[in-house]
Amino acid sequence: MSEKSSSSGSDEDVDPESGQPVEFGGVLSKWTNYIHGWQDRWVVLKNNTLSYYKSEDEREYGCRGSLCLSKAVITPHEFDECRFDISVNDSVWYLRAEDPEHRLQWIESIEVHKFPSPSLSRCCDLRACGRLLTRLQAESGYGSETSLRRHGSMLSLTSAASALSSTSTSSFKKGHRLREKLAEMETFRDILCRQVDTLQKYFDSCADAVSKDEFQRDKVEEDEDEFPATTRPDGEHNHNNNGSKEKLFAPASPKGMNGIDFKGEAITFKATTAGILSTLSHCIELMVKREDSWQKRLDKELDKRRRIEDAYKMTLNELKKKSHYGGPDYEEGPNSLINEDEFFDAVEAALDRQDKIEEQCHSEKVRIHRLAQVPTGDAFSTIGTHRFASKVEEMVQNHMTYSLQDVGGDANWQLVIEEGEMKVYRREVEENGIVLDPLKATHAVKGVTGHEVCHYFWDTDFRMDWETTIENYNVVETLSDNAIIVYQTHKRVWPASQRDVLYLSAIRKLLATNENDPDTWLVCNFSVDHDGAPPTNRCVRAKINVAMICQTLVSPPEGDKEISRDNILCKITYVANVNPGGWAPASVLRAVAKREYPKFLKRFTSYVQEKTSGKTILF
């Protein structure tokens, strides 16, 4: 699986216009369904949305699904270092990266898109303020020095400052956001800076005029000392040749130096500073209110987080107590997200895969020859003296009484499948939602005896040769020559949980009470408890009560010929009462039983025929 990313979602990689993280994309494995499992998909993270496409080349055809990350919950997997899950309400995406580093990179990028950092928010606010300032300058006409000249009168500048101040107040009353107040502050600052420059020019001009005036006065006084002139008593005027009066110094211009209206500029400067102070006051009030609001929101979020953490811990404890599943980690349970049809399809697909694997290994298995001493029938006729002997005898008698009864009458047995000599019956029973259907199968197999069939069914040395559902097994305790306690785990069939079984297995020969009736061979397996194999959390402990009951029928050979395998026929009655434990859909369990039990009987009896072919008949 390849992994590549088109860009990074760190704080430095932001859109210069929006201030948001740039697009982030790459290949991730996404859990598609129970049939196809993990599939590579092109995943794109953009604008707080996570989308996926079948491939990068097919982006132009549109995404196949998307999630809004505002309320998304990102959960790194507990055991799989490359996997993380993203859930939004009831929608869950199961994703796998190429390695743990890429997983961390994706998680961090998603978090950046989900919760932009404060620095990103500040940058976004400042950019917005800058854009608003430009707009205000363009609309108000105070964006350049020429505009100041255009609005140079005291009336226009004062009116403009008052308008800005009233706008600030009205915007505050309307609840405008803080960034708009900051934009107004930027506008006032620009106006104030230009007014300060204007006033500074005026003061510089005044200083130059005063210097020139003092220089002129000094020069006139020197001239008067050298050339006394006719003066009036007030000493303010000279007489020219025409007899008119002439001022010694030119009167000050009403506009001041360089045509600047000093009084108007001073009033406007005062109005601008008043507007700044007013807006600043509003900003402070807004920030105080926001601080209170933020504190309340923070307290609310902290309380919400505590509740979520408590709920998470409770849910985690519940998950440890009962089965629960979802996505690629589905485990059977009443809260399953898939329906019964999907459940059955998944189980059937898994069983088909197991069958293919078994077919590939079958040729190797049949080449394995095990030499084992088969005890004589008399060794299995005794009841035994071990601690479970009475329980074994009780189970044997029950099977002989009820299992060999006819399937007709009031037993309510339903014929579910018939293939040649084999017939499978079922009686539907449920308890607390768990299927406990008893199953009974009858079969007739040529060329083998009841002793041989029961021997290969009971002896664990041959178990793995014909049993395809077992993952491993071990003999926990040997009670006697014909009774053992066995622990075995069965292969997991997804989405069902893995099962294990702990049972006592006993083989018995029951002599016929009538000389015309055949002897009966029986193997009974029933669940027991043992300290050597306690239940574990890894598997669901199933309970079983199974019996293989066999009788051998012999047809007389022709003439003086010896009895051969062509003359023998084994009648088999197989009964099974299984409590699977846990929970699985009833229709699925029944469908699987209908499929697997006939396959098991045919596979096992064919195996016995192969193992006994050409060997001495064991009665």
Side-chain angles (χ1 to χ4, degrees), residues 445-583:
V445 184
K446 292 183 178 181
V448 296
T449 65
H451 187 180
E452 291 168 337
V453 171
C454 288
H455 167 70
Y456 286 106
F457 185 73
W458 178 79
D459 196 335
T460 56
D461 290 339
F462 304 95
R463 182 66 51 83
M464 301 301 290
D465 291 349
W466 56 266
E467 179 61 273
T468 61
T469 65
I470 292 179
E471 186 174 88
N472 55 64
Y473 75 94
N474 67 285
V475 178
V476 178
E477 182 180 354
T478 300
L479 300 174
S480 64
D481 291 339
N482 63 342
I484 56 176
I485 296 179
V486 180
Y487 172 76
Q488 65 188 30
T489 57
H490 291 263
K491 297 175 183 176
R492 185 183 182 188
V493 180
W494 187 89
S497 300
Q498 189 172 21
R499 257 68 177 179
D500 63 0
V501 186
L502 178 65
Y503 62 93
L504 187 151
S505 182
I507 181 171
R508 290 286 305 279
K509 177 184 179 182
L510 303 175
L511 300 177
T513 56
N514 189 330
E515 61 180 9
N516 295 324
D517 293 335
D519 295 336
T520 301
W521 282 87
L522 181 146
V523 176
C524 65
N525 299 336
F526 59 92
S527 294
V528 294
D529 295 326
H530 196 282
D531 294 337
T536 64
N537 293 330
R538 190 174 68 91
C539 297
V540 176
R541 180 63 56 88
K543 302 293 184 180
I544 65 169
N545 183 7
V546 176
M548 176 77 75
I549 307 171
C550 302
Q551 292 179 330
T552 306
L553 303 180
V554 181
S555 59
E558 296 180 358
D560 297 333
K561 294 181 179 180
E562 294 183 354
I563 297 176
S564 68
R565 293 196 175 272
D566 295 333
N567 302 117
I568 59 177
L569 177 71
C570 180
K571 292 182 62 178
I572 300 175
T573 301
Y574 178 79
V575 292
N577 292 270
V578 179
N579 182 343
W583 189 94

Side-chain angles (χ1 to χ4, degrees), residues 11 71 178 259 262 276 313 369-370 418 420 481 492 516:
D11 287 3
K71 297 183 180 180
L178 183 62
F262 177 72
I276 291 178
K313 291 178 181 178
H369 298 285
R370 293 183 177 85
E418 182 175 5
D481 291 339
R492 185 183 182 188
N516 295 324

Side-chain angles (χ1 to χ4, degrees), residues 328-348:
D329 296 326
Y330 276 11
E331 293 181 358
E332 63 187 69
N335 300 318
S336 174
L337 298 179
I338 60 176
N339 57 42
E340 293 188 5
D341 292 337
E342 292 174 327
F343 197 103
F344 174 72
D345 290 343
V347 170
E348 190 173 42

